Amino acid sequence: MPRAASSHAAKVPAASPWDGVAERLRSNGLRWTPQRRTLVDVLREHEGHVTATELIARCRERDQTTTPSTVYRTLDVLEDFGLVRHGHGPDGREEYHVLPDQVHGHLYCVACGATWEIRPETGAAIVDALAADLGFDVDLSHVTISGRCQTCCRE
């Protein structure tokens, strides 16, 4: 006699964008090293923006053999995979957006140091205006506009 189906179905973990990274790296001729695994683990736990310097420090907390060159080379490949996107902060240093859902620029307050992402509709207006006015095709991911935020303007 067949058993009744259980009402407690096994939960299947949701797929992560990071699943299969090892295989993708190997298919691109790269080894899946402990250093690369550490970087992917660090990135998997992070949301938003992070600098390479911060990533290297976090990786070295877990694996002291982590080298900057491995981190940078791996970030380049992960960017090709769409898992990170690099941009530049107000001081010109590279920053990485982990799991970017869209290209965006940033605002930077020179008075308090706060940063914000430019909303998609505002970014599109900037890109469209420069294309119409100058025929210039803007890479919004590399745009950081410096100024003063509302709070600092009131002070």
Side-chain angles (χ1 to χ4, degrees), residues 45-79:
E45 297 168 3
H46 188 82
E47 290 184 25
H49 300 86
V50 63
T51 66
T53 303
E54 292 168 324
L55 287 171
I56 292 165
R58 290 179 190 173
C59 288
R60 284 187 169 163
E61 288 173 4
R62 297 176 186 204
D63 179 355
Q64 291 185 350
T65 67
T66 301
T67 61
S69 61
T70 296
V71 170
Y72 281 106
R73 281 194 315 268
T74 306
L75 285 168
D76 286 344
V77 175
L78 295 176
E79 185 165 19

Side-chain angles (χ1 to χ4, degrees), residues 9-92:
K11 290 188 178 181
V12 176
S16 164
W18 299 102
D19 294 346
V21 168
E23 292 78 19
R24 292 178 75 184
L25 286 167
R26 286 185 193 111
S27 71
N28 280 273
L30 298 170
R31 294 183 3 219
W32 181 237
T33 64
Q35 288 184 358
R36 287 195 173 108
R37 178 172 305 164
T38 298
L39 175 60
V40 169
D41 288 345
V42 167
L43 288 167
R44 186 186 298 262
E45 297 168 3
H46 188 82
E47 290 184 25
H49 300 86
V50 63
T51 66
T53 303
E54 292 168 324
L55 287 171
I56 292 165
R58 290 179 190 173
C59 288
R60 284 187 169 163
E61 288 173 4
R62 297 176 186 204
D63 179 355
Q64 291 185 350
T65 67
T66 301
T67 61
S69 61
T70 296
V71 170
Y72 281 106
R73 281 194 315 268
T74 306
L75 285 168
D76 286 344
V77 175
L78 295 176
E79 185 165 19
D80 291 341
F81 296 168
L83 296 170
V84 298
R85 180 182 302 271
H86 84 278
H88 298 276
D91 58 0

